[in-house]
Structures are given as structure tokens and as C-alpha cells.
Amino acid sequence: MNEKRQAQLLTTCLMAGRIMIESGSEMYRVEDTMRRIAQNAGVMDSHIFTTPTGLFMSLPTYDAVQIQQVTSRAINLEKVDRVNALSRQFADHQITLTVLSQRLAVLDHDVPYFPLWLQVIAAAVVSCTIMIMFGGHWIDFLPSAVVGAAGYTVFYLVREQLSVSFLSEFLAAFTIGLLAWIFISLHFGRSLDMIIIGAVMPLVPGVAITNAVRDMLAGHLLTGIVRGIEALFSVSAIGIGIALVFRFFA
């Protein structure tokens, strides 16, 4: 393998890994995908080190280590699936390394997200159904849906407009608590606790917590601890937002 192809291979592997980390994938899956791409390109002994904020990779026959910074992290499992699909196509020789790199670049810039209105509807459905599952009353069904949708809208807009970590969770939780209190005060609901419990569920970092545990079990102790702390901060921001409502209003 010539030097130009090795450089292209490193760039392609690091791009795939960065997209997966930014989309919420587990670290062992990231490393496995990068290693498989390298193996299918003819390099059997690549060296990969991943963290939530950066990736390092080197090839045994290439005298350089390339670094790829990870600047943002979200949950987009569709992008993770698409990277895995492209990796499998490369393994089956359906596409070349150059085509793989090009399609990863397109995937990186053409982010496949569901539209905001559909995400808000999903948040409303999740909020009211989970509220019922936790033992809530049917009279709180509609208020829980409305509050959950409003809270998720605030979370989405703040996250898109500002780059302050955990501020979106805090403001969304505060909005949820305040709207729930208003509904109860106007006698449009029965249980303040049940409405809040249902409405905050779309904000809970369940995927992040699950991935933190899976990384720990897979031996990625550093990544597991970092992701666990990040999830803990998100949960704390949600809790503080709700607590302020109870302190000053309820």
C-alpha cells in the first residue's frame, strides 16, 4: 500500500469514528468499525485509541499518528447505523475506499435528523404514555403531553442556539415544572408530580447512561466514567430546574 492510500485510509477511518462518537455510539463499536475498515483495506495491525473528545490512529507501515478532534456529541443512532452500513459495503467490496470516504463526507454534512415538529409530537406521546405507566391519572394525560412537548421544544431550541453545556436541560426542566404548576393552578390537572415525571422523560439521558455502562463492561474505563459523569450532570441540571419550581412556586 502506497503512502497516499495509507493517508486516505487514516482519514477515512478517523472520519467514520468521529461521526459515530458525535452521534452517541459506544466506544467499542467505534473502535471495531475503524479496525474493520482498516483490515478490509489490507492493514491487519492498526492501532486505535478513542476518547469522547478525540481519536488517535496509526498504521504499522505509516510513520505518522493522525488525530481527530470531537467537538460535539448528540444522539443520532441513524447516523451510526449508516456508518456501519457503509463499512459493511466496503467489506463486501461493493464500494472502494475512495467512495467510502466520499459517502462518509456526505453523511457528515447531510445530517439525517427528523424534523422538529415530529420530534415534538414524539416527546408529547412519550410524556403522556409514560405518565400513565407510572400510575398517573387520565385527567393528566393531555396536560402531560402539552408540557412535555413544550419542554422538549425549549430543550431543542436552546441546544441549537447556544453552546453552553447542560443549560438546555436546565431551562427545559424549569419550563416543564412551571407549566405543570400553571396547569394544576388552573385546575386542568390533578397530580403535579405525575405531570412532571412524564414530561421530563424525553430529557432523561437514557442512551448516554446505557452507553456509559456498556463501555465500562467492555473495558473502556476512561470513556465509561467520563460519559457517566456527563450523564450525571445532565440529570442534575434537570433536577435543579424542577427543584427551583418547587422552591419558589409549588
Side-chain angles (χ1 to χ4, degrees), residues 4 42 47 63 68 77 86 103 167 191 204 209 228 235 247:
K4 181 179 179 180
H47 302 283
D63 296 331
Q68 180 70 64
L77 300 183
L86 289 173
R103 292 187 180 179
L167 180 62
S191 174
V204 175
I209 296 172
V235 172
R247 174 65 179 81

Side-chain angles (χ1 to χ4, degrees), residues 9 12-13 16 32-43 83 86-87 90 97 100 104:
L9 176 60
T12 303
C13 290
D32 180 68
T33 300
M34 295 173 64
R35 187 169 290 109
R36 287 179 183 274
I37 292 175
Q39 290 175 351
N40 291 315
V43 179
V83 172
L86 289 173
S87 175
F90 180 63
L97 181 62
L100 173 62
L104 286 173

Side-chain angles (χ1 to χ4, degrees), residues 1-12 43 59-66 97:
M1 182 181 295
N2 58 46
E3 185 172 332
K4 181 179 179 180
R5 182 172 171 80
Q6 292 184 55
Q8 183 185 34
L9 176 60
L10 275 176
T11 302
T12 303
V43 179
L59 303 178
T61 57
Y62 188 65
D63 296 331
V65 176
Q66 284 199 16
L97 181 62

Side-chain angles (χ1 to χ4, degrees), residues 4-247:
K4 181 179 179 180
R5 182 172 171 80
Q6 292 184 55
Q8 183 185 34
L9 176 60
L10 275 176
T11 302
T12 303
C13 290
L14 288 170
M15 187 190 310
R18 176 179 57 80
I19 293 173
M20 294 181 72
I21 293 177
E22 290 179 348
S23 303
S25 176
E26 310 93 320
M27 286 301 173
Y28 72 86
R29 189 185 303 276
V30 173
E31 293 187 359
D32 180 68
T33 300
M34 295 173 64
R35 187 169 290 109
R36 287 179 183 274
I37 292 175
Q39 290 175 351
N40 291 315
V43 179
M44 311 308 291
D45 190 23
S46 58
H47 302 283
I48 303 168
F49 180 75
T50 58
T51 70
T53 56
L55 303 94
F56 304 80
M57 184 175 182
S58 68
L59 303 178
T61 57
Y62 188 65
D63 296 331
V65 176
Q66 284 199 16
I67 303 172
Q68 180 70 64
Q69 185 179 10
V70 179
T71 57
S72 63
R73 290 180 300 278
I75 302 299
N76 191 337
L77 300 183
E78 184 176 355
K79 291 184 72 172
V80 176
D81 178 69
R82 292 193 183 188
V83 172
N84 284 329
L86 289 173
S87 175
R88 287 190 290 269
Q89 291 177 17
F90 180 63
D92 294 336
H93 305 289
Q94 298 177 11
I95 58 176
T96 63
L97 181 62
T98 301
V99 174
L100 173 62
S101 180
Q102 293 173 348
R103 292 187 180 179
L104 286 173
V106 171
L107 176 62
D108 189 24
H109 293 92
D110 185 18
V111 182
Y113 276 109
F114 290 106
L116 175 59
W117 65 268
L118 186 57
Q119 295 184 47
V120 171
I121 291 176
V125 173
V126 168
S127 299
C128 58
T129 52
I130 289 184
M131 184 273 299
I132 295 297
M133 290 174 59
F134 275 95
H137 304 282
W138 285 101
I139 193 175
D140 297 324
F141 189 85
L142 184 58
S144 181
V146 173
V147 172
Y152 184 83
T153 302
V154 172
F155 168 76
Y156 181 91
L157 295 178
V158 173
R159 185 185 61 183
E160 291 297 314
Q161 298 298 323
L162 303 177
S163 58
V164 181
S165 299
F166 314 114
L167 180 62
S168 56
E169 289 93 338
F170 168 75
L171 293 178
F174 184 82
T175 301
I176 287 172
L178 185 60
L179 288 178
W181 175 78
I182 292 174
F183 270 105
I184 295 298
S185 300
L186 297 176
H187 305 289
F188 287 124
R190 176 176 177 181
S191 174
L192 177 64
D193 294 343
M194 286 295 106
I195 294 176
I196 291 177
I197 288 174
V200 299
M201 283 301 158
L203 307 179
V204 175
V207 175
I209 296 172
T210 301
N211 286 348
V213 174
R214 295 183 68 175
D215 281 332
M216 292 281 286
L217 296 177
H220 292 268
L221 302 180
L222 177 62
T223 299
I225 292 173
V226 170
R227 282 187 163 175
I229 293 175
E230 187 176 29
L232 180 62
F233 283 163
S234 295
V235 172
S236 299
I238 294 171
I240 292 172
I242 297 297
L244 287 178
V245 174
F246 275 93
R247 174 65 179 81

